[in-house]
């Protein structure tokens, strides 16, 4: 892996961590807060592609597992993976990878709404499906009840999916940004 790629991976892991500074909205009934960090997860996938996006989110997840307080509210540690939000945390690298995989080949031909469709299906629906499934098993909740309880996240996650689509499409249109995130794209020498 090139140094440039390692820097981008680390930088995006830091962006996701910084989004944890924004205050979470607690949802006491299910024990999983509404956070802004999955905006960074979705953006990593659609902006960086499957390899770099997936690696940046995997790095973030490993750092959380090691105990760094990078999740919203200053949370971190392996115990979180066995609580109500464990499925969400585990799904983050998968979500970024899948979004990157579905967008990277045809991204330049995709408009905001097409990227939003991918982001919404994977970043909102699949993430909540995985999160709800793990939540049911981690806290002993009936599966259907868990799925019903995570429906509260869908509107906000769809808004975050739209914001990520808009930002990714706009940033990828900038040649100086594309030079750093797309392999093989060169715009002059610097």
């Amino acid at each position: 892996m090139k140094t440039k790629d390692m820097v981008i991976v680390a930088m995006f892991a830091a962006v996701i961590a910084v989004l944890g500074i924004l205050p979470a909205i607690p949802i006491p009934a299910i024990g999983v807060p509404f956070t802004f960090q999955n905006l960074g997860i979705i953006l990593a996938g659609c902006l960086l592609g499957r390899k770099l996006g997936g690696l940046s989110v995997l790095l973030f997840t490993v750092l959380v597992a090691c105990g760094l307080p990078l999740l919203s509210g200053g949370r971190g540690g392996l115990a979180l993976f066995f609580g109500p939000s464990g499925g969400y945390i585990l799904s983050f690298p998968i979500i970024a990878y899948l979004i990157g995989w579905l967008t990277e080949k045809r991204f330049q031909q995709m408009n905001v709404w097409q990227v939003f469709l991918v982001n919404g299906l994977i970043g909102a629906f699949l993430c909540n499906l995985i999160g709800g499934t793990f939540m049911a098993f981690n806290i002993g909740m009936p599966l259907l009840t868990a799925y019903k309880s995570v429906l509260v996240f869908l509107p906000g996650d769809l808004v975050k999916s739209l914001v990520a689509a808009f930002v990714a499409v706009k940033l990828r249109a900038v040649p100086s940004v594309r030079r750093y995130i797309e392999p093989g794209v060169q715009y002059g020498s610097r």
Side-chain angles (χ1 to χ4, degrees):
M1 178 181 282
K2 297 178 189 175
T3 304
K4 171 192 84 157
D5 294 341
M6 289 190 288
V7 169
I8 290 170
V9 165
M11 181 188 70
F12 239 86
V15 166
I16 297 165
V18 167
L19 286 170
I21 294 172
L22 297 173
I25 301 168
I27 303 178
I30 58 176
V32 178
F34 178 86
T35 71
F36 294 93
Q37 286 183 300
N38 56 344
L39 171 63
I41 306 298
I42 295 167
L43 191 57
C46 63
L47 186 60
L48 300 180
R50 71 177 188 262
K51 180 182 172 191
L52 296 181
L55 283 174
S56 67
V57 177
L58 182 61
L59 173 62
F60 173 79
T61 305
V62 168
L63 293 173
V64 167
C66 288
L68 272 73
L70 301 178
L71 290 174
S72 112
R75 298 174 306 135
L78 201 53
L80 291 172
F81 290 79
F82 301 100
S85 57
Y88 289 96
I89 300 166
L90 288 171
S91 76
F92 287 164
I94 298 166
I95 298 305
Y97 182 88
L98 289 175
I99 289 172
W101 180 62
L102 290 170
T103 59
E104 72 184 358
K105 297 287 186 207
R106 296 185 28 96
F107 195 92
Q108 296 308 322
Q109 294 83 32
M110 297 175 79
N111 63 31
V112 171
W113 296 109
Q114 292 167 325
V115 176
F116 166 66
L117 179 63
V118 171
N119 290 350
L121 288 174
I122 305 297
F125 289 103
L126 183 60
C127 184
N128 283 301
L129 182 67
I130 294 170
T133 302
F134 274 74
M135 183 174 60
F137 290 111
N138 283 346
I139 64 173
M141 178 184 282
L143 194 57
L144 189 57
T145 304
Y147 289 150
K148 287 179 185 176
S149 65
V150 300
L151 288 175
V152 70
F153 295 115
L154 284 179
D157 288 348
L158 288 171
V159 169
K160 289 182 268 188
S161 296
L162 180 60
V163 169
F166 181 78
V167 168
V169 167
K170 294 300 179 187
L171 283 178
R172 281 201 134 179
V174 177
S176 60
V177 172
R178 285 182 50 207
R179 178 176 71 215
Y180 291 105
I181 62 174
E182 289 184 13
V185 175
Q186 298 296 324
Y187 295 96
S189 58
R190 289 185 190 219

